[in-house]
Amino acid sequence: MGRGAGTPGGVIHLVVLDNEAVRALRDPAHPGHRQVVSQTQVIAGRKRRAAAIEIAVPAAVRAEAGWDRTSPAWAFPNRLRIADIPLDTAAANTAAAIRARTGVSVADAHIGAAIQSAPADQITVISSDPGDIRRIAGDRKITITTI
């Protein structure tokens, strides 16, 4: 993600979902469901106003949460246009280093790799574990929305 023609000099904002946030999106009975849905609706509204904002989920988080984009059980989250963050070679190397240093899960380590490599000016992580998110963020300034 980078500065595009529609965002000259504008702030780029990346919102990343953790495993619990993904699970909350799928399950209306989850205690965090309303909060995560509300956050994604706010983001969708900003996107419609051409704000440079993207909501994304690392592929390892999606796998850990069981989010199969082909399954009808995930129809609601699929409609929210949440981008996947791939686990490519560079991200895997960064995630492996984060995991070795902190002992977090592979999915959390992938979140850390996404945070550390994001060209975004603003990064928000929607998470149930702010302590782990702070540890994996490295020296990046982030905002954590706790569910």
Side-chain angles (χ1 to χ4, degrees):
M1 185 171 102
R3 294 187 196 284
T7 60
V11 172
I12 298 170
H13 188 168
L14 174 65
V15 178
V16 180
L17 302 178
D18 82 347
N19 177 26
E20 198 64 27
V22 169
R23 288 175 190 234
L25 272 180
R26 180 177 181 256
D27 181 5
H30 188 287
H33 179 77
R34 293 171 89 181
Q35 181 182 3
V36 177
V37 169
S38 174
Q39 290 279 332
T40 58
Q41 288 173 336
V42 167
I43 293 162
R46 289 180 185 167
K47 287 172 87 168
R48 279 192 291 277
R49 292 189 306 267
I53 188 166
E54 180 177 3
I55 186 166
V57 61
V61 170
R62 195 162 65 80
E64 182 179 70
W67 184 354
D68 175 355
R69 289 191 185 269
T70 66
S71 170
W74 291 89
F76 176 69
N78 285 338
R79 287 194 300 266
L80 298 175
R81 296 183 356 194
I82 298 169
D84 286 332
I85 300 172
L87 186 59
D88 59 13
T89 301
N93 289 337
T94 301
I98 291 169
R99 183 162 158 68
R101 186 181 77 247
T102 65
V104 297
S105 70
V106 171
D108 282 354
H110 190 188
I111 293 170
I115 290 168
Q116 291 181 22
S117 67
D121 301 308
Q122 252 185 299
I123 301 169
T124 299
V125 180
I126 302 175
S127 173
S128 63
D129 193 345
D132 276 356
I133 299 302
R134 292 247 180 256
R135 288 187 5 228
I136 63 176
D139 61 355
R140 291 296 301 261
K141 183 179 177 194
I142 63 169
T143 301
I144 300 170
T145 300
T146 305
I147 57 168

